[in-house]
Amino acid sequence: MLRLGKREFGPHEPVIMAIVNRTPDSFYDQGATFRDEPALARVEQAVADGAAIIDIGGVKAGPGEEVTAAEEARRTVGFVAEVRRRFPDVIISVDTWRHEVGEAVCEAGADLLNDAWGGVDPRLAEVAARYRVGLVCTHAGGTQPRTRPHRVEYDDVMADVLRVTVGLAERAVALGVPRESVMIDPGHDFGKNTRHSLEATRRLGEMVATGWPVLVSLSNKDFVGETLDKPVKERVVGTLATTAVSAWLGAQVYRVHEVAETRQVVEMVGAIAGWHGPAVARRGLA
């Protein structure tokens, strides 16, 4: 059972996490939701399309202009409070690696801290424990925040992913984070080249076998672009193909830009796998 905010999810119940960037320079939408009203409209549409989680980020993952903790908090804290007011039942996640920002957004009503940089600030898990909120434990290969990997090598990339993410998850629970609110994430593209990310996808079942709910953040990433030789705006099909494979292998949470399309993919996979039936059944019954 995965428990986040006011919601509980069964083992084969897919969970869609919609990305809402409060940044002027995000790689995919180039700041489309930097201002409040477009961002709130994005939240409303994502919820209508089936997102259970809204993931709010105040700093883009890649290199760029420095964003201080104070500026990151300015971009996210008030917005978290407003989303909490308008959408009381939605699960609010904040994508941050900084404990100071984590503290502030939890005070504002966040239910989940999405630590995409692999515990680089160990105090973030302490914040999650203190507020009894969820935590995403990600493999980033030891990469520092907002840097790109350079000639990174692993003897066995999945062995390293398992060592790091399970270790972070166990530490979080030992600190007091509710076990049912901890997820692990292989960290596609983070501290990895394209071949590493493809292998992590191919072997995702090994993460699922640990018993921790697995989150995948695949949406329009570079490993999809390099595999298909496609620019950012032409990666949706490759993303959805990777999503289908991840769903078949047992991933549960999907951090995405395209909510409605992802929802259809994971529901179709679930029906084929026999985890649930079709939404309607009329054919051959008339």
Side-chain angles (χ1 to χ4, degrees):
M1 181 67 68
L2 175 63
R3 183 175 291 114
L4 299 169
K6 300 177 181 179
R7 301 282 302 275
E8 292 184 350
F9 305 92
H12 290 301
E13 186 175 356
V15 183
I16 308 300
M17 171 190 272
I19 299 166
V20 179
N21 291 313
R22 302 311 317 283
T23 59
D25 52 358
S26 50
F27 89 99
Y28 187 63
D29 60 31
Q30 288 86 49
T33 53
F34 186 46
R35 293 186 298 109
D36 286 351
E37 287 312 310
L40 288 166
R42 160 70 174 163
V43 173
E44 185 174 12
Q45 186 63 57
V47 171
D49 287 343
I53 306 173
I54 301 298
D55 189 49
I56 299 163
V59 186
K60 79 168 186 176
E65 183 179 339
E66 180 185 2
V67 180
T68 65
E71 174 60 17
E72 183 184 358
R74 188 192 69 78
R75 294 177 180 183
T76 55
V77 175
F79 188 72
V80 167
E82 184 61 15
V83 173
R84 179 83 296 148
R85 186 184 72 80
R86 296 195 189 194
F87 304 91
D89 296 325
V90 78
I91 300 160
I92 299 176
S93 168
V94 175
D95 181 349
T96 186
W97 75 88
R98 293 166 162 148
H99 76 273
E100 309 100 304
V101 177
E103 184 103 33
V105 296
C106 286
E107 283 287 340
D111 305 298
L112 174 64
L113 296 175
N114 181 10
D115 181 9
W117 291 102
V120 68
D121 181 350
R123 295 175 65 185
L124 188 64
E126 297 171 14
V127 171
R130 187 159 62 253
Y131 285 89
R132 304 288 292 175
V133 300
L135 184 69
V136 179
C137 300
T138 307
H139 180 271
T143 307
Q144 288 299 303
R146 307 196 66 196
T147 62
R148 299 196 189 282
H150 179 68
R151 300 189 184 280
V152 63
E153 295 183 3
Y154 298 95
D155 291 334
D156 183 327
V157 66
M158 182 50 74
D160 204 70
V161 167
L162 292 172
R163 177 184 63 81
V164 170
T165 58
V166 171
L168 290 170
E170 290 175 345
R171 175 180 181 267
V173 171
L175 287 169
V177 181
R179 185 179 187 89
E180 64 274 15
S181 302
V182 176
M183 291 164 279
I184 59 175
D185 176 354
H188 288 81
D189 277 359
F190 282 61
K192 299 170 189 68
N193 61 31
T194 290
R195 292 182 186 276
H196 293 142
S197 292
L198 291 171
E199 182 173 350
T201 306
R202 185 164 59 249
R203 298 173 61 185
L204 200 66
E206 295 175 44
M207 295 189 75
V208 175
T210 67
W212 297 100
V214 174
L215 179 150
V216 288
S217 182
L218 312 168
S219 197
N220 302 294
K221 284 193 167 179
D222 285 347
F223 83 97
V224 175
E226 288 194 357
T227 299
L228 301 176
D229 193 17
K230 294 293 183 183
V232 170
K233 294 297 185 179
E234 296 178 24
R235 298 175 183 176
V236 174
V237 173
T239 296
L240 294 176
T242 313
T243 298
V245 171
S246 300
W248 185 261
L249 293 174
Q252 184 168 16
V253 185
Y254 304 84
R255 181 179 181 271
V256 301
H257 298 98
E258 287 80 21
V259 174
E261 295 87 342
T262 302
R263 186 87 210 174
Q264 289 184 46
V265 168
V266 297
E267 286 184 356
M268 193 70 198
V269 171
I272 294 168
W275 299 330
H276 60 78
V280 296
R282 303 188 189 97
R283 184 174 175 79
L285 299 179

